[in-house]
Amino acid sequence: MRHEIIDANQLELTDRVVSIKRVSKTVKGGRSMRFTALVVVGDGNGHVGAGLGKATEIPEAIRKGKEDAVKKLVTVALDENKSIPHDNFGKFGSSSVLLKRAPEGTGIIAGGPARAVVELAGIKNIRTKSLGSNNKQNVVLATIEGLAGLSSPEEVARKRGKSVDEIMA
């Protein structure tokens, strides 16, 4: 997976909280409670990222999660009908997400955590299937992994030293 630095100041990012969990650590005086927030951010135009924030209060955990997500933005290749250029498979941990290209008018067919990522990436027509573990954090990261692995016809043509028409034929 290629990693490029994306300047988040130029993007109008919206965020969505996917999950909030209460986690505890047992210490000498008892249990110390904290909250973990899984946040997905995206600009609706091919940029999306996910982050995790942990704090003693929920709003602080969400803020930290948003900051972490902005640092981990990836670019997603989109085609002319706001779908993905080709089918792909994303894997993270024991979660796998199958991303399938869809024609205009299909809409977003995706389950909870994957839907949040796909919507914020700006994809309007896609079919997804979550395979393996359905842990929200791993499903979100597997979806982002799959979207980041997409390559546009222009990129493929440039790598092969051919024109886009030759690739698409």
Side-chain angles (χ1 to χ4, degrees):
M1 185 172 84
R2 63 197 178 279
H3 184 73
E4 57 191 64
I5 298 170
I6 299 166
D7 188 13
N9 296 332
Q10 269 82 45
L11 304 174
E12 292 207 15
L13 297 172
T14 55
D15 59 293
R16 185 170 305 164
V17 179
V18 176
S19 74
I20 296 175
K21 295 189 294 188
R22 192 178 79 178
V23 293
S24 63
K25 175 183 174 185
T26 306
V27 290
K28 189 172 154 186
R31 289 192 189 97
S32 70
M33 299 295 180
R34 286 174 175 263
F35 293 93
T36 301
L38 176 61
V39 182
V40 177
V41 298
D43 67 343
N45 198 19
H47 294 94
V48 69
L52 212 58
K54 195 187 287 184
T56 52
E57 282 112 30
I58 294 173
E60 186 68 9
I62 293 170
R63 186 189 62 76
K64 286 182 179 180
K66 187 177 175 184
E67 283 178 13
D68 190 35
V70 168
K71 291 178 195 169
K72 297 176 181 174
L73 282 174
V74 295
T75 307
V76 179
L78 300 174
D79 67 0
E80 63 282 343
N81 68 352
K82 291 283 190 180
S83 185
I84 54 177
H86 56 88
D87 296 357
N88 203 5
F89 200 73
K91 186 159 176 53
F92 189 90
S94 62
S95 291
S96 301
V97 176
L98 176 64
L99 304 166
K100 294 196 80 163
R101 192 168 185 224
E104 184 67 45
T106 304
I108 299 172
I109 300 171
R115 176 179 284 271
V117 175
V118 167
E119 283 177 353
L120 290 173
I123 298 170
K124 301 281 185 244
N125 300 295
I126 192 168
R127 294 174 295 178
T128 68
K129 177 65 182 160
S130 176
L131 307 162
S133 170
N134 57 4
N135 177 321
K136 288 182 182 177
Q137 187 176 336
N138 286 353
V139 170
V140 164
L141 295 173
T143 307
I144 289 177
E145 186 78 26
L147 291 174
L150 295 169
S151 52
S152 66
E154 292 80 22
E155 288 175 42
V156 175
R158 189 172 35 79
K159 284 180 188 172
R160 295 183 189 175
K162 298 186 176 191
S163 69
V164 178
D165 297 331
E166 287 177 303
I167 301 290
M168 298 302 278

